[in-house]
Amino acid sequence: MSPHPRPEPARFDSLDDAVEFLYQRVPGSLHVGAPLGLGKPHRLLNALYQRAEREPSRCLHLYTALSLDPPGAGKGLEARFLRPFAQRHFGDDFPRLAYVQALKRNALPAHMEVEEFYLQSGALLHAQAAQRRYASLNYTHVARALADRGVNAVVQKVAADPAGGARLSLSCNTDLTFDAVDAIVARGLPRPLLIAEVDPLLPWLDGSAAVDASFFDAVVAPPGPYPKLFGLPRQPVSDADYAIGFHASTLVRDGGTLQIGIGTLADALCHALVLRHTDNAAYWRVLGALGYSQDDAGSSGTGISSLEGAASLEVDLSGTRNAKAPGASLGQTASLEADLIGTRNAKASVAPLGPFEVGLFGCSEMLNEGFRRLVEVGVIKRKVIDDLDFMRRLHEGRADAADRERLEREGEYLQGGFYLGSQDFYDWLRDMPDDRRRGISMRRISEVNELYGGNETLERLQRRDARFFNSCMMATALGAAVSDTLDDGRVVSGVGGQYNFVAMAHALPDARSVLMLRATRDSGGDTRSNVVWNYAQTTIPRHLRDVYVTEYGIADLRGKTDEDCILAMAAVAACGHQFPLLQAAMASGKLPQAHYRLSDRNSPQRLRDALAPLRQQGALPDYPLGSDFTAVEQRLVKALGWLKANTATAGSKVRTVFKALFSSGADDVEAMRRMGLEKPGGVGERLEARLVTLALRETQSG
């Protein structure tokens, strides 16, 4: 920001007047930046789009990410379920982004261009302009790229001071605005025109998120009614998700630092950490069902878990470094201690897995639902202060009473670059007592996602024993991660900050990067492995491989040879998909020709059977962080999921339809009424009613 006082901003209550101000102040082509996610001013951007449509002589270039769009109604049963839910959850007046609708129709006007560095997951796979103008950037490189593009305006949603002051809060998106403005000015370009749209529903966050109103050139406060903030619908957590989350939770050390991503894998991890802290006996019952022994829980160790009795890969190998006699024949057995983390061959001890006494410090690019729950139960409570000498005294055990009083008063337990979650999450932030809210600090992404912003020594002390948890779509047997792009080059989402956290895990001495993925996925009725030999696109290169977690265990790849990585990844792949990995490795000379004994331990049915009693006991609820669905809708979510899985192929569809037509039993009247099928009319509706009834029975019975 400028060291000289800035003039008071222009004030508007009309969105069109604010757009006119932008057009008058910025000559020529408009290069407009807008925050990702919640901080994007939908109504202002729609007014800008409408103006740009009318004036094709002025080119509009928009630079942004994560353009949130509520789900479409779809058709058939999907529409029957989604339309009422979306109407209730998002509201009839939610302002869908006009440029997103144009992108989805492949109808963006020629004089407009939209460039995003992160896409709403899977939403724009068929949007040609969005795919062409996607920018593959690490989160921390975006500000530099915006300067390269010559951004000359930035629009952002802000919160007004609830005390009636003149300040504004960037609230949900401190991630890039400050960094981008600084990068543009440092390039010798004019400071971009900044326009704020005030949203009274956006929670106020103070500290580094708050600025004088004069930071902006214009502030628009349009009259109500105000549409709801975009709330992410919370999804049910599957058995595979829970297994991954509980495996991952064993890697977290008390007194450490936590970063988590978004989605049901992150939800499962957060629930595991909550259960570990609030009901440790139940936590260990889940671990026991997954094959852990409490006798393995040592008082020290690397924090990588040993899973007793869950080996899914045994090797008969000759001529290796562990062979008992040189030149032994292929049929002779030699033990290979390949450090197969997640199997009985793992040598590392389990970190202490009791309740959190010191607690964790949360430092994550995104703050979400899971962090809310972890703060509420007292898992996230370790505080830090931006004072190097203070943190040294604390780290070395030299802090006195005055230091501890200051830590309690000024310390921060949660730092983030942006937030996004449910309406419950926004209410939590909005209604939090001021003294608790002061412990949450919204920061620049250059501060959160890397160590090299000028305070490296301080941040190393703050981020001790860091665990950076993120999700990926696939992983190769050699340790590369596939997180954002399909093999044909189409982008599903984006790199975001994943590479940042993987690199930081290697830069911090006691940190680990943990990438979580489901072992398999359903594709057109086929089950495919997410642990693959090779893939055309990768997000994380194999030389930065660290820890991978599937529902079948933990693979520690850090510093390992290719041979050991392949064996570790095969050990956490699903049965039926392990041998092709080994065959490919042997064909490429990465594994010796040997006998491999494969078991059926890594199977979904075995996992379901192991976790079923814990589901019934309530230790593994469908919605561990709360639900946006009613009780009836929760039953329907299960049923429609079952129906989708059982009609994925032509053969399964015929079988399911036949079963639905000839099955009998009492209807779930409430569910059928919710779907509008309590009195089906024509043949199509009667068939839909039969299918839903069958699916409800199947899912209710287990």
Side-chain angles (χ1 to χ4, degrees), residues 100-118:
V100 172
Q101 309 315 309
L103 285 170
K104 288 184 175 180
R105 298 193 310 271
N106 288 310
L108 193 70
H111 68 289
M112 295 189 202
E113 181 179 88
V114 178
E115 183 177 306
E116 299 199 65
F117 69 89
Y118 196 94

Side-chain angles (χ1 to χ4, degrees), residues 377-426:
V377 302
V379 171
I380 291 208
K381 60 185 175 183
R382 181 171 75 83
K383 293 183 176 182
V384 303
I385 288 180
D386 286 345
D387 181 324
L388 180 57
D389 291 337
F390 179 94
M391 290 304 300
R392 277 178 173 153
R393 290 197 302 275
L394 196 65
H395 181 71
E396 295 167 2
R398 296 187 289 110
D400 57 21
D403 285 333
R404 299 197 178 280
E405 182 181 340
R406 180 188 174 195
L407 184 65
E408 183 60 30
R409 184 178 64 253
E410 301 177 17
E412 297 173 352
Y413 54 83
L414 191 55
Q415 294 178 354
F418 75 99
Y419 66 73
L420 185 61
S422 70
Q423 299 299 334
D424 289 344
F425 177 69
Y426 305 144

Side-chain angles (χ1 to χ4, degrees), residues 46-229:
N46 282 346
L48 175 59
Y49 183 89
Q50 291 166 7
R51 174 68 177 267
E53 274 190 314
R54 298 195 301 269
E55 295 191 30
S57 61
R58 298 281 298 273
C59 292
L60 173 62
H61 305 266
L62 178 63
Y63 307 97
T64 188
L66 193 57
S67 297
L68 296 169
D69 189 40
K75 56 185 180 180
L77 292 175
E78 182 185 56
R80 288 180 180 276
F81 179 82
L82 275 180
R83 191 176 291 116
F85 172 76
Q87 187 176 32
R88 182 185 78 240
H89 185 75
F90 297 102
D92 289 329
D93 58 350
F94 186 86
R96 289 179 178 268
L97 288 162
Y99 71 82
V100 172
Q101 309 315 309
L103 285 170
K104 288 184 175 180
R105 298 193 310 271
N106 288 310
L108 193 70
H111 68 289
M112 295 189 202
E113 181 179 88
V114 178
E115 183 177 306
E116 299 199 65
F117 69 89
Y118 196 94
L119 309 179
Q120 187 171 2
S121 184
L124 297 173
L125 280 172
H126 304 291
Q128 295 174 13
Q131 291 293 328
R132 289 198 306 267
R133 301 307 299 166
Y134 165 75
S136 186
L137 295 168
N138 288 336
Y139 209 162
T140 51
H141 297 166
V142 173
R144 180 181 68 195
L146 294 176
D148 292 340
R149 269 69 161 172
V151 165
N152 51 28
V154 174
V155 296
Q156 175 152 2
K157 182 184 289 189
V158 299
D161 189 343
R167 295 185 307 155
L168 300 170
S169 173
L170 274 62
S171 185
C172 54
N173 283 87
T174 53
D175 49 339
L176 287 173
T177 304
F178 298 129
D179 281 343
V181 171
D182 288 351
I184 292 165
V185 172
R187 191 65 61 85
L189 299 171
R191 185 181 191 268
L193 189 78
L194 270 68
I195 302 179
E197 179 190 327
V198 177
D199 188 334
L201 299 182
L202 194 64
W204 170 269
L205 288 173
D206 210 325
S208 54
V211 296
D212 291 332
S214 60
F215 177 73
F216 292 94
D217 298 283
V219 177
V220 57
Y226 302 103
K228 290 182 178 181
L229 299 176

